[in-house]
Amino acid sequence: GVAETLLCYRFPNILKEFHQKAPKARLFLRSMNCYDIRNELLDGTLDLGVFYEDVGGFGSNLAVHSLGDCSMTLVASHEIKKICPNFIVPDRTIPIPFIINEKNCIFRQIFEKYLQEKSIILDHTIELWSVPTIKNLVKSDMGISFLPTFVVQEDLNTGELEEIPTAISDKTITAICAHHKNKWISPLMQLFVNLCVSYFEELKNN
């Protein structure tokens, strides 16, 4: 079970190396919500999960390998940023929508809590399952989104998206690889964990 943002924007290189090292392995991947990953790890449905530890509720039942902290960025197109250049000033109603995943999305929960604390009201929420689709709508002047910076970094570099300042610009979430502590770790599972840890360690060092 893998969080979609990690699966789309961090896993291609990991998967390529895994299949090079274990070409006969059969790897079954599911793009899942982080809460669902946690729950299915706890009940033994999943062998491994790569997601964000911010969902919490692990107790002492999960063995967790930290992969590193991920910064968050509020993004919009150039045209939308002209309407609302920042999300720091409180007590406002802003006539643009928030484009994001379902209600159990960690990013959505963080940003909606921030909006509540700032007494900022947005026009409405457009709820989608696909992160690439969310980004495409934001690029098309449809609204704003709050996503891990690594998901939007290339778009920020090219100018297709722009960052909107917030008072939580230092907010981070932590990516982890986890499994149930009582589950037998096969050599293939251990290989996968090792590749995840080494790949994210390399990212931090570059």
Side-chain angles (χ1 to χ4, degrees):
V2 187
E4 187 197 7
T5 48
L6 294 167
L7 183 59
C8 288
Y9 299 96
R10 283 290 183 252
F11 260 62
N13 289 338
I14 295 173
L15 296 176
K16 179 180 179 181
E17 188 170 356
F18 179 80
H19 283 295
Q20 287 174 342
K21 292 181 180 297
K24 295 183 180 180
R26 298 179 67 193
L27 180 64
F28 297 92
L29 288 169
R30 290 171 59 193
S31 174
M32 299 173 63
N33 174 275
C34 292
Y35 288 96
D36 293 335
I37 294 173
R38 177 200 65 189
N39 294 342
E40 293 199 22
L41 286 173
L42 289 172
D43 68 20
T45 306
L46 293 177
D47 290 324
L48 289 171
V50 182
F51 58 118
Y52 300 107
E53 74 170 0
D54 304 70
V55 297
F58 303 155
S60 58
N61 293 311
L62 295 187
V64 176
H65 307 267
S66 179
L67 301 178
D69 294 335
C70 308
S71 61
M72 303 294 300
T73 304
L74 180 64
V75 291
S77 66
H78 178 69
E79 292 302 315
I80 292 296
K81 187 173 181 180
K82 287 195 295 186
I83 298 173
C84 184
N86 77 78
F87 267 69
I88 296 175
V89 178
D91 305 312
R92 289 183 293 163
T93 297
I94 302 172
I96 55 176
F98 182 35
I99 309 173
I100 199 64
N101 292 117
E102 77 281 0
K103 290 182 179 179
N104 277 342
C105 169
I106 283 291
F107 327 136
R108 177 172 176 171
Q109 292 175 345
I110 293 170
F111 192 64
E112 287 182 337
K113 180 181 178 183
Y114 173 73
L115 292 177
Q116 187 176 24
E117 291 171 350
K118 283 284 189 178
S119 296
I120 297 174
I121 300 173
L122 295 179
D123 191 69
H124 64 284
T125 298
I126 299 174
E127 186 176 297
L128 297 168
W129 284 87
S130 166
V131 172
T133 303
I134 289 170
K135 290 205 303 176
N136 286 337
L137 286 184
V138 175
K139 291 176 187 179
S140 299
D141 308 327
M142 290 291 293
I144 60 168
S145 194
F146 187 68
L147 295 165
T149 307
F150 70 82
V151 171
V152 295
Q153 189 62 65
E154 185 175 340
D155 308 287
L156 293 170
N157 292 345
T158 62
E160 288 186 273
L161 291 176
E162 296 188 19
E163 179 178 0
I164 299 181
T166 70
I168 51 170
S169 58
D170 59 345
K171 175 66 180 177
T172 62
I173 56 177
T174 303
I176 59 172
C177 181
H179 56 81
H180 198 286
K181 69 174 185 179
N182 294 330
K183 183 174 284 289
W184 177 68
I185 306 302
S186 69
L188 284 176
M189 286 175 62
Q190 190 62 59
L191 171 62
F192 195 86
V193 171
N194 292 346
L195 289 175
C196 288
V197 172
S198 62
Y199 176 75
F200 279 84
E201 187 64 32
E202 185 178 337
L203 284 177
K204 284 186 284 186
N205 293 332
N206 289 338

